[in-house]
Amino acid sequence: MISPPNYFGAHAHVEDSLVVDGCFVDGTVKRSILSTEAQVREGAEVVDSVIMSGAIIGHGAKITRAIIGEGAIIADGVEIDGTDEVQVVGYNEVVGVATDED
Protein backbone atom coordinates (compact mmCIF):
# COMPACT_ATOMS: atom_id res chain seq x y z
CA MET A 1 0.00 0.00 0.00
CA ILE A 2 1.33 3.41 -0.93
CA SER A 3 0.34 6.29 1.33
CA PRO A 4 -0.20 9.82 0.08
CA PRO A 5 2.44 12.44 0.87
CA ASN A 6 2.44 14.38 4.13
CA TYR A 7 0.51 17.62 4.40
CA PHE A 8 1.83 20.43 6.60
CA GLY A 9 -0.68 23.27 7.00
CA ALA A 10 -0.03 26.96 7.53
CA HIS A 11 -0.09 26.53 11.34
CA ALA A 12 2.17 23.46 11.45
CA HIS A 13 5.28 23.51 13.64
CA VAL A 14 7.32 20.30 13.85
CA GLU A 15 10.62 19.87 15.68
CA ASP A 16 12.75 16.83 16.57
CA SER A 17 9.99 14.46 15.42
CA LEU A 18 9.39 11.62 12.98
CA VAL A 19 6.40 12.14 10.66
CA VAL A 20 5.56 9.12 8.47
CA ASP A 21 3.86 9.17 5.05
CA GLY A 22 0.28 10.34 4.76
CA CYS A 23 0.15 12.47 7.91
CA PHE A 24 -1.83 15.70 8.14
CA VAL A 25 -0.24 18.27 10.46
CA ASP A 26 -1.61 21.73 11.15
CA GLY A 27 -0.64 21.96 14.83
CA THR A 28 2.54 21.68 16.92
CA VAL A 29 4.53 18.44 17.19
CA LYS A 30 7.67 18.23 19.38
CA ARG A 31 9.88 15.22 20.11
CA SER A 32 7.18 12.80 18.94
CA ILE A 33 6.41 10.10 16.38
CA LEU A 34 3.41 10.30 14.05
CA SER A 35 2.59 7.00 12.31
CA THR A 36 0.99 6.61 8.89
CA GLU A 37 -2.03 8.83 8.22
CA ALA A 38 -2.14 10.34 11.72
CA GLN A 39 -3.73 13.80 11.95
CA VAL A 40 -2.82 16.71 14.21
CA ARG A 41 -5.35 19.45 13.57
CA GLU A 42 -5.00 23.23 13.93
CA GLY A 43 -4.10 24.43 17.42
CA ALA A 44 -3.35 20.93 18.70
CA GLU A 45 -0.08 20.20 20.52
CA VAL A 46 1.66 16.83 20.67
CA VAL A 47 4.77 16.65 22.87
CA ASP A 48 6.95 13.63 23.77
CA SER A 49 4.30 11.22 22.43
CA VAL A 50 3.64 8.42 19.95
CA ILE A 51 0.57 8.74 17.72
CA MET A 52 -0.29 5.49 15.97
CA SER A 53 -1.68 5.04 12.44
CA GLY A 54 -4.95 6.77 11.59
CA ALA A 55 -5.32 8.50 14.97
CA ILE A 56 -6.85 11.98 14.97
CA ILE A 57 -5.88 14.72 17.41
CA GLY A 58 -8.62 17.36 17.34
CA HIS A 59 -8.41 21.15 17.24
CA GLY A 60 -6.79 22.62 20.35
CA ALA A 61 -6.15 19.23 21.98
CA LYS A 62 -2.99 18.90 24.07
CA ILE A 63 -1.16 15.57 24.28
CA THR A 64 1.90 15.22 26.53
CA ARG A 65 3.84 11.97 27.14
CA ALA A 66 1.16 9.67 25.77
CA ILE A 67 0.72 6.75 23.42
CA ILE A 68 -2.38 7.20 21.26
CA GLY A 69 -3.60 3.93 19.72
CA GLU A 70 -4.33 3.17 16.10
CA GLY A 71 -7.54 4.80 14.85
CA ALA A 72 -8.16 6.62 18.15
CA ILE A 73 -9.94 9.97 18.12
CA ILE A 74 -9.02 12.69 20.57
CA ALA A 75 -11.78 15.30 20.37
CA ASP A 76 -11.31 19.06 20.13
CA GLY A 77 -9.91 20.68 23.27
CA VAL A 78 -9.16 17.43 25.13
CA GLU A 79 -6.03 17.43 27.30
CA ILE A 80 -4.08 14.23 28.00
CA ASP A 81 -1.17 14.81 30.38
CA GLY A 82 1.25 11.97 31.07
CA THR A 83 3.79 14.13 32.88
CA ASP A 84 3.77 11.92 36.00
CA GLU A 85 2.96 8.62 34.26
CA VAL A 86 2.73 7.89 30.54
CA GLN A 87 -0.94 7.85 29.45
CA VAL A 88 -2.24 5.29 26.95
CA VAL A 89 -5.33 5.58 24.75
CA GLY A 90 -6.28 2.24 23.15
CA TYR A 91 -7.06 1.09 19.64
CA ASN A 92 -10.07 2.93 18.11
CA GLU A 93 -10.98 4.62 21.41
CA VAL A 94 -12.72 8.00 21.40
CA VAL A 95 -11.77 10.52 24.10
CA GLY A 96 -14.12 13.50 24.50
CA VAL A 97 -17.04 14.36 22.28
CA ALA A 98 -16.05 13.95 18.65
CA THR A 99 -17.53 16.31 16.07
CA ASP A 100 -18.50 15.12 12.62
CA GLU A 101 -16.93 17.93 10.61
CA ASP A 102 -14.88 15.90 8.12
Side-chain angles (χ1 to χ4, degrees):
M1 181 171 104
I2 298 175
S3 293
N6 295 327
Y7 173 80
F8 295 94
H11 303 99
H13 176 79
V14 178
E15 64 181 59
D16 300 326
S17 297
L18 174 62
V19 179
V20 181
D21 291 346
C23 289
F24 172 94
V25 180
D26 201 22
T28 300
V29 179
K30 296 180 181 178
R31 300 177 303 279
S32 296
I33 298 171
L34 301 183
S35 297
T36 308
E37 298 181 6
Q39 296 182 31
V40 178
R41 298 199 173 153
E42 185 179 341
E45 294 180 14
V46 175
V47 180
D48 299 325
S49 298
V50 177
I51 311 301
M52 302 303 283
S53 297
I56 298 172
I57 311 302
H59 297 271
K62 299 193 184 325
I63 311 297
T64 305
R65 291 195 67 217
I67 300 169
I68 307 301
E70 187 173 340
I73 298 173
I74 309 302
D76 297 351
V78 168
E79 191 167 326
I80 297 175
D81 187 358
T83 301
D84 295 328
E85 183 176 333
V86 173
Q87 299 295 304
V88 178
V89 174
Y91 173 82
N92 283 336
E93 284 189 31
V94 176
V95 178
V97 178
T99 58
D100 196 17
E101 66 180 57
D102 294 328

